[in-house]
Amino acid sequence: MDEIVSLSKRRGFVYPSSEIYGGLANTWDYGPIGTLMKNNIKNEWIKFFVNLREDMLLIDSAILLNPMVWKASGHLENFTDPMTDCLSCKKRFRADHLLEEILKIKVEGLSTKDMTKLLKDNKIKCPNCGGELTEVRYYNLMFQTKIGPIENEDNSQNLFLRPETAQGIFINFDNIIKSNRVKIPFGVAQIGKSFRNEITAGNFIFRILEPEIMELEYFVREGKDMEFFEDWLSYIKKWYQYIGIKDENLKYVEIDENERAHYSKRTVDVYFNFPFGFKELSGLANRGDYDLKRHSEFSGKELSILDENTKDRYIPFVIEPSFGLDRLFLALLCDSYSKDEVAGEERIFLKLSHKVSPYQVAIFPLMKKDKIDDIAYKIYKELKLDFRCVYDDGGSIGKRYRRQDEIGTCKCITVDSLSLNDDTVTIRDRDTMKQTRHKIKDLKKILNKCFM
Ligand code: GAP
């Protein structure tokens, strides 16, 4: 993991946030290279889950919503973690994580009373200072804020930063079916930041305060929900192949009833083999009619749809595939991180799919003279129209290859003195390092074939 964190900083994927002020726990900033890759993942996700299908719409709802949304959704009551505080240093810890780490047991389904007893019986003390720990209590994970310039005592001004993007879809259900021609089954997708007051050490970007979530709510008739759940499970498996994650690094885990979210009828989580073990990468849940029913009750607005055949109205069931963008980003870095040896020296390269690699092609002039750089720059300007390209004329050619290898650039094109005579260049492959010579006029055709 340390190697991934170090590469991320060195090459501009991810930096510790607020670093010049000593940082802020569990927050990270995406650098220029990381931002390119993150956007590529998002674009591919939209392509795969929305554009390649005929039954999907995409929305972009607000982060701040009427507080009633969180009452109706159950987040005010249920979006909580069991915590214990240190009486000496005042640090707060996830009680379940402490017990799991120290006693190596599963604590899902245990009451706060049971967890407190386990802490006491096993004489577990504060991991920071060795102080006494309090009894375990549940704390809500939602961040609060206030609306308006003046702090006042009116509680109606208290707002929450959304902890998931899903609710923005449910509360727009009526707007969406009235403003679009949709028929059940159909889905609505959304990508956006969510905010969670996580206190546990994050393992780099695995657990952060503002994860970006890519999720969709797929509306189906009750009775068909289990069938569509299976369809989505297969579609998710195809997604991981499409985006280029090795199958052996993935595990599909059926979640027991007592471990599922309060709204879920069935959940299958996808686990990835991170350097710190197999951990949740994404989830698939059958939310039933829980959300639309609750919003109907709390808002007084009937959130149902008309069955064209029977003319009855009903509240659809919802199947929800949900992906953490930051976790997928980290999984892709870990999955693609590779090493080999070149002339007795270690080479690090990211074997990323061309779909997500920050750049697909790098163009180098071997020397900055004799018009070699003019030709290289012209090639760069032309290829840029069709591929994600970068121009690099700094340092030795070996250094330039290493730089591109470390950010996963798929192909490097080098223009040299031979190019002046025969209009050819070399194309070097990132993974095999094989170099082949080609006519400049054929480059587009060749690259198109590589990135099909
Ligand atoms: N709407 C359903 C939902 O939000 P979730 O399992 O709480 O479900 C979905 O979150 C995904 O978001 C997770 O599978 C995980 O990939 C990611 N995620 C959740 N909390 C996260 C955090 N604190 N940091 C990074 N990613 C997180």
Side-chain angles (χ1 to χ4, degrees):
M1 194 64 188
D2 290 346
E3 289 184 28
I4 303 261
V5 177
S6 152
L7 171 80
S8 290
K9 188 168 178 199
R10 189 168 71 245
R11 291 295 177 208
F13 282 97
V14 178
Y15 310 125
S17 188
S18 320
E19 199 181 11
I20 59 167
Y21 291 105
L24 178 67
N26 298 336
T27 62
W28 298 85
D29 296 332
Y30 285 81
I33 296 298
T35 305
L36 290 174
M37 178 162 149
K38 198 176 178 195
N39 282 334
N40 295 338
I41 302 172
K42 280 199 258 191
N43 291 339
E44 288 298 337
W45 191 88
I46 291 173
K47 183 173 167 191
F48 195 84
F49 286 95
V50 181
N51 298 343
L52 287 176
R53 300 179 59 106
E54 293 172 15
D55 52 357
M56 291 296 307
L57 302 166
L58 186 66
I59 68 159
D60 186 6
S61 69
I63 286 171
L64 298 173
L65 303 175
N66 186 306
M68 282 300 286
V69 171
W70 309 114
K71 205 165 184 181
S73 69
H75 280 83
L76 264 180
E77 207 181 320
N78 299 309
F79 197 59
T80 53
D81 278 339
M83 306 286 194
T84 177
D85 294 296
C86 172
L87 290 170
S88 305
C89 69
K90 310 293 176 209
K91 271 206 151 192
R92 183 167 282 174
F93 304 93
R94 281 275 297 263
D96 51 343
H97 288 181
L98 266 188
L99 289 168
E100 278 172 3
E101 252 175 65
I102 296 170
L103 303 180
K104 309 277 176 244
I105 52 164
K106 281 208 139 217
V107 297
E108 270 110 353
L110 286 190
S111 67
T112 49
K113 222 168 150 189
D114 291 338
M115 282 189 253
T116 306
K117 189 168 175 335
L118 276 174
L119 286 174
K120 285 229 152 57
D121 290 353
N122 292 285
K123 299 192 173 37
I124 295 175
K125 302 275 188 260
C126 168
N128 185 47
C129 74
E132 286 297 319
L133 294 171
T134 61
E135 58 182 53
V136 179
R137 272 181 298 166
Y138 275 103
Y139 285 92
N140 201 291
L141 268 88
M142 284 194 290
F143 278 108
Q144 280 198 46
T145 187
K146 277 185 188 285
I147 207 164
I150 302 167
E151 288 259 333
N152 62 28
E153 286 165 11
D154 178 357
N155 258 354
S156 66
Q157 301 294 303
N158 277 340
L159 296 180
F160 299 96
L161 302 187
R162 67 177 175 201
E164 65 168 9
T165 53
Q167 299 304 323
I169 297 175
F170 297 128
I171 59 171
N172 277 299
F173 180 75
D174 199 49
N175 285 332
I176 291 167
I177 59 173
K178 285 186 176 145
S179 58
N180 296 272
R181 285 170 44 77
V182 286
K183 260 201 334 242
I184 296 271
F186 75 95
V188 181
Q190 155 146 256
I191 298 181
K193 287 244 181 180
S194 303
F195 301 84
R196 299 178 178 197
N197 200 349
E198 305 272 8
I199 58 145
T200 309
N203 273 325
F204 193 30
I205 52 172
F206 178 79
R207 194 181 303 284
I208 52 178
L209 299 183
E210 40 179 297
E212 197 158 350
I213 294 182
M214 312 185 285
E215 61 189 353
L216 67 95
E217 311 304 319
Y218 196 74
F219 300 99
V220 303
R221 182 112 210 199
E222 181 180 2
K224 294 269 185 198
D225 48 323
M226 287 308 187
E227 208 178 294
F228 278 110
F229 190 99
E230 291 298 336
D231 288 353
W232 277 106
L233 197 52
S234 324
Y235 202 67
I236 288 168
K237 286 180 183 166
K238 285 190 193 134
W239 159 249
Y240 284 119
Q241 280 167 8
Y242 174 86
I243 206 75
I245 293 201
K246 292 182 204 92
D247 209 36
E248 71 255 29
N249 281 333
L250 296 170
K251 217 161 68 174
Y252 292 80
V253 180
E254 189 79 43
I255 304 298
D256 286 347
E257 194 178 346
N258 62 348
E259 296 174 24
R260 292 201 288 260
H262 59 279
Y263 48 73
S264 179
K265 278 183 72 186
R266 184 184 171 197
T267 299
V268 172
D269 280 345
V270 183
Y271 279 41
F272 176 79
N273 190 11
F274 289 102
F276 41 90
F278 269 99
K279 296 275 176 210
E280 181 188 332
L281 172 61
S282 67
L284 173 66
N286 179 346
R287 294 181 80 123
D289 57 2
Y290 174 83
D291 301 272
L292 289 179
K293 232 183 190 161
R294 294 273 292 189
H295 286 303
S296 291
E297 268 173 42
F298 280 70
S299 66
K301 178 133 198 141
E302 196 190 316
L303 300 178
S304 60
I305 195 161
L306 182 75
D307 185 315
E308 298 287 348
N309 298 322
T310 61
K311 302 292 174 213
D312 66 321
R313 295 196 73 84
Y314 64 95
I315 296 184
F317 270 40
V318 173
I319 308 299
E320 180 195 63
S322 183
F323 303 82
L325 175 55
D326 311 273
R327 280 194 195 172
L328 181 52
F329 184 101
L330 180 58
L332 283 163
L333 285 187
C334 298
D335 193 71
S336 66
Y337 190 85
S338 314
K339 282 179 187 175
D340 59 10
E341 220 184 82
V342 181
E345 272 188 34
E346 183 180 78
R347 176 178 83 115
I348 294 171
F349 60 112
L350 296 185
K351 255 178 152 171
L352 288 167
S353 152
H354 67 87
K355 295 189 178 92
V356 296
S357 62
Y359 297 113
Q360 294 170 312
V361 189
I363 297 105
F364 310 149
L366 187 63
M367 289 159 290
K368 282 195 261 182
K369 61 174 193 184
D370 298 338
K371 300 229 161 75
I372 291 174
D373 47 349
D374 290 348
I375 297 173
Y377 196 69
K378 194 166 164 237
I379 293 174
Y380 162 68
K381 293 277 271 183
E382 267 171 34
L383 293 182
K384 207 172 156 50
L385 300 173
D386 294 287
F387 309 100
R388 298 192 302 277
C389 294
V390 60
Y391 183 78
D392 190 352
D393 61 6
S396 73
I397 198 80
K399 275 209 174 113
R400 282 183 258 173
Y401 281 145
R402 291 305 154 271
R403 211 156 40 221
Q404 297 305 323
D405 287 344
E406 284 200 348
I407 61 171
T409 306
C410 312
K411 305 281 176 192
C412 292
I413 295 177
T414 304
V415 181
D416 52 27
S417 45
L418 200 61
S419 314
L420 299 171
N421 301 327
D422 65 1
D423 289 331
T424 63
V425 291
T426 56
I427 300 182
R428 180 236 193 214
D429 179 75
R430 174 194 65 203
D431 302 341
T432 60
M433 291 187 288
K434 258 200 192 140
Q435 298 190 19
T436 45
R437 196 102 201 153
H438 300 276
K439 285 275 183 204
I440 294 172
K441 69 173 176 50
D442 295 335
L443 285 176
K444 258 190 195 171
K445 205 170 69 191
I446 294 164
L447 293 172
N448 263 325
K449 225 169 152 187
C450 296
F451 305 139
M452 262 192 331

